[in-house]
């Protein structure tokens, strides 16, 4: 079975990788991965709740 | 301005207006009238704080320019800087700057994906080595081998080293590419850094802001195309034309600050009257940016104009040093907790005057002056 990977996926906001397993011209299985992590929840922890929107809108 | 440019588009085979007598240019072919082209050049000169006599020089440079290659890298980003740049209609970025540049790689707008996209990037890095410009948006994670941002299986750090290392110059857009931005905010889960830290020793100009203003990005590119070099900067690599003055000193609410008229609660009488937002947490007295002058959304308004304090987004580490954002400035490191508003006002004014003299803004601008041909030649004493 052939395996294809498309990385980066373009024309989106953010980073995405798609891998697919191909059998007889059909996709048998597929995986998507977001290839970027910043840790927004960890950064928000312990801050003034009034500031949350400023961080969270930069998702 | 975009509307005017669109109005000037000639639908038939007629040449666009105003270009008769001058050499035919790509601008005429695109249907942009001479008048609107010059208006764009004037807006750029104004943003760069250059005297009007530079307009012909800018126009001449943009008419001649041979589509320099540009690649736009996105790392730990939210694409907000891209949005800020592409959605701006004043100046008409899409119509002018994207036409004069050959944008060979930009994940958010390019057609190819996967290996084809990587090929576009590598063709530029290898084929245009030392000649292309690179724009970086987003921070670069360094923790755990840089695993927190990978593109095509390579880490952001690895890509930045190769792409920025071989470029003519790197333009960082936004707070993240400047110093690490909010990914680097306490507790900095991924060890995020800016380009200068990740790839030391390369030629970089920083356009911080969250996001930066499209007018400043455009003007920086236009300056490079016109004068063959990046505009003069402060000690943090930020161009003086955009980051040379305190927001507080150009603020439309400054008179209220000086008179001691402050907003005390959201929606109170003072807030409705547009008084000073200092006590509500405005960081304008500690932030260098030209927002009050160029504003946002086609010059419609800006945060303070809309009734919210400045968060100081063009300053290093602002996510930690300027927050909590609704607490007023004396709590921010660098100011004594007991300092009164008046004392801060005086301190800031004195500090800015000294910084200005040290930066030598005026002499830096004079240094850009080059002789022009014929009638456009600057007269004695005009600079």
């Amino acid at each position: 079975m052939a395996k294809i990977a498309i990385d980066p996926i373009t024309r989106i906001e953010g980073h995405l990788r798609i891998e697919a397993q191909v059998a007889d011209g059909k996709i048998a299985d597929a995986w998507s991965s977001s290839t970027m992590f910043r840790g927004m929840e960890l950064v928000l922890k312990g801050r003034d709740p009034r500031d949350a929107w400023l961080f969270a809108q930069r998702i | 301005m975009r509307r005017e440019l669109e109005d000037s588009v000639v639908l038939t085979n007629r040449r666009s207006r105003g270009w008769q007598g001058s050499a035919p240019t790509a601008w005429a072919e695109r249907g942009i009238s001479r008048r609107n082209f010059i208006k764009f050049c004037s807006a750029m000169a104004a943003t760069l704080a250059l005297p009007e006599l530079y307009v012909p020089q800018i126009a001449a440079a943009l008419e001649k320019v041979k589509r320099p290659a540009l690649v736009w890298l996105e790392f730990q980003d939210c694409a907000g800087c891209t949005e800020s740049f592409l959605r701006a209609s004043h100046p008409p970025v899409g119509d002018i700057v994207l036409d004069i540049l050959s944008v060979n790689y930009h994940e958010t707008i390019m057609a190819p994906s996967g290996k084809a996209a990587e090929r576009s990037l590598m063709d530029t890095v290898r084929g245009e080595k030392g000649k292309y410009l690179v724009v970086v948006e987003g921070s670069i994670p360094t923790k755990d081998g840089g695993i927190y941002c990978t593109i095509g299986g390579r880490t952001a750090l690895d890509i930045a080293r190769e792409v920025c290392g071989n470029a003519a110059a790197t333009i960082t857009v936004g707070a993240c590419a400047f110093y690490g931005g909010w990914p680097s905010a306490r507790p900095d889960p991924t060890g995020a850094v800016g380009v200068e830290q990740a790839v030391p020793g390369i030629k970089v100009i920083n356009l911080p802001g969250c996001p930066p203003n499209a007018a400043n990005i455009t003007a920086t590119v236009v300056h490079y195309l016109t004068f063959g070099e990046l505009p003069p900067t402060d000690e943090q690599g930020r161009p003086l034309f955009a980051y040379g003055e305190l927001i507080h000193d150009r603020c439309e609410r400054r008179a209220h600050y000086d008179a001691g008229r402050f907003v005390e609660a959201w929606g109170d009488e003072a807030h409705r009257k547009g008084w000073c937002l200092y006590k509500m947490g405005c960081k304008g007295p500690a932030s260098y940016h030209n927002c009050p002058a160029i504003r946002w959304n086609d010059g419609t308004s800006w945060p303070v104009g809309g009734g919210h304090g400045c968060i100081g987004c063009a300053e290093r580490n602002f996510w930690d040093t300027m927050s909590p954002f609704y607490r007023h400035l004396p709590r921010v490191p660098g100011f004594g907790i007991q300092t009164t508003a008046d004392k801060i006002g005086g301190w800031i004014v004195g500090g800015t005057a000294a910084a200005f003299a040290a930066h030598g803004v005026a002499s830096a601008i004079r240094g850009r002056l080059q002789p022009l041909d014929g009638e456009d030649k600057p007269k004695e004493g005009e600079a």
Side-chain angles (χ1 to χ4, degrees), chain A residues 7-10 12-18 32-38, chain B residues 73-79 105 107 137-139 148-152 156 159:
Chain A
D7 179 11
I9 301 283
T10 56
I12 57 162
E13 287 186 17
H15 298 270
L16 184 66
R17 173 189 179 94
I18 297 285
S32 72
S33 355
S34 173
T35 62
M36 187 269 280
F37 173 79
R38 289 169 295 174
Chain B
L73 302 177
E74 289 172 86
F75 296 134
Q76 282 179 303
D77 72 319
C78 68
Y105 185 88
E107 283 168 40
E137 172 181 2
S139 53
Y148 297 108
C149 180
T150 66
I151 299 157
I159 296 168

Side-chain angles (χ1 to χ4, degrees), chain A:
Chain A
M1 278 198 290
K3 198 170 179 184
I4 55 169
I6 306 172
D7 179 11
I9 301 283
T10 56
R11 279 158 287 143
I12 57 162
E13 287 186 17
H15 298 270
L16 184 66
R17 173 189 179 94
I18 297 285
E19 287 167 271
Q21 204 141 48
V22 185
D24 303 327
K26 283 181 184 162
I27 291 175
D29 206 349
W31 301 264
S32 72
S33 355
S34 173
T35 62
M36 187 269 280
F37 173 79
R38 289 169 295 174
M40 178 172 282
E41 296 83 356
L42 301 171
V43 171
L44 276 169
K45 240 182 193 171
R47 289 185 188 268
D48 188 322
R50 294 173 299 172
D51 289 350
W53 69 274
L54 285 150
F55 287 87
Q57 73 175 191
R58 267 93 174 169
I59 189 91

Side-chain angles (χ1 to χ4, degrees), chain B residues 25-331:
Chain B
T25 68
W27 302 103
E29 284 161 25
R30 284 189 202 105
I32 292 170
S33 73
R34 176 85 188 161
R35 177 183 168 82
N36 285 322
F37 174 66
I38 294 299
K39 270 168 84 174
F40 171 79
C41 295
S42 301
M44 286 296 100
T47 305
L48 287 164
L50 293 172
E52 210 176 329
L53 72 149
Y54 281 100
V55 173
Q57 201 173 330
I58 293 172
L62 295 187
E63 282 169 27
K64 272 190 296 209
V65 75
K66 294 217 170 46
R67 287 173 64 79
L70 180 142
V71 296
W72 183 302
L73 302 177
E74 289 172 86
F75 296 134
Q76 282 179 303
D77 72 319
C78 68
C81 301
T82 290
E83 292 288 339
S84 173
F85 185 57
L86 295 179
R87 292 191 187 281
S89 49
H90 171 85
V93 178
D95 292 339
I96 294 196
V97 166
L98 293 182
D99 275 352
I100 57 180
L101 296 167
S102 174
V103 182
N104 293 352
Y105 185 88
H106 188 317
E107 283 168 40
T108 306
I109 56 172
M110 69 194 299
S113 269
K115 286 200 168 61
E118 293 311 292
R119 203 176 308 124
S120 305
L121 178 61
M122 284 308 136
D123 284 353
T124 305
V125 172
R126 287 173 194 143
E128 303 280 326
K129 192 174 175 174
K131 288 184 282 188
Y132 64 92
L133 288 173
V134 52
V135 174
V136 180
E137 172 181 2
S139 53
I140 298 164
T142 56
K143 225 177 239 180
D144 303 327
I147 197 72
Y148 297 108
C149 180
T150 66
I151 299 157
R154 293 176 72 188
T155 63
L157 190 58
D158 189 29
I159 296 168
R161 280 189 185 133
E162 180 172 10
V163 178
C164 300
N166 288 305
T170 300
I171 301 170
T172 74
V173 294
C176 301
F178 172 46
Y179 76 85
W182 93 238
S184 75
R186 179 175 44 83
D188 187 11
T190 60
V193 298
V195 172
E196 280 181 308
Q197 259 177 290
V199 195
I202 56 165
K203 195 193 221 177
V204 177
I205 191 162
N206 295 314
L207 301 176
C210 194
N213 198 308
N216 293 335
I217 303 174
T218 312
T220 300
V221 172
V222 166
H223 187 286
Y224 181 79
L225 297 177
T226 304
F227 302 110
E229 60 183 18
L230 295 167
T233 66
D234 65 10
E235 67 285 354
Q236 299 193 61
R238 304 180 298 181
L240 290 167
F241 75 83
Y243 305 90
E245 283 186 280
L246 270 182
I247 287 202
H248 191 54
D249 288 344
R250 297 291 299 272
C251 182
E252 64 212 24
R253 300 188 182 207
R254 178 59 186 266
H256 296 300
Y257 176 90
D258 292 339
R261 290 191 291 261
F262 296 104
V263 176
E264 303 280 349
W266 300 116
D268 69 1
E269 183 67 15
H271 194 212
R272 286 198 290 275
K273 282 180 172 163
W275 287 4
C276 176
L277 293 156
Y278 165 78
K279 288 189 175 177
M280 302 307 289
C282 181
K283 304 301 184 294
S287 307
Y288 289 86
H289 215 170
N290 57 354
C291 303
I294 58 170
R295 303 155 82 93
W296 292 80
N297 295 335
D298 277 353
T300 307
S301 190
W302 63 297
V304 172
H308 190 282
C310 163
I311 60 167
C313 70
E315 299 302 319
R316 199 174 284 271
N317 298 322
F318 82 97
W319 287 107
D320 290 322
T321 59
M322 300 289 187
S323 65
F325 293 111
Y326 298 101
R327 190 181 285 175
H328 67 77
L329 265 174
R331 298 277 187 176

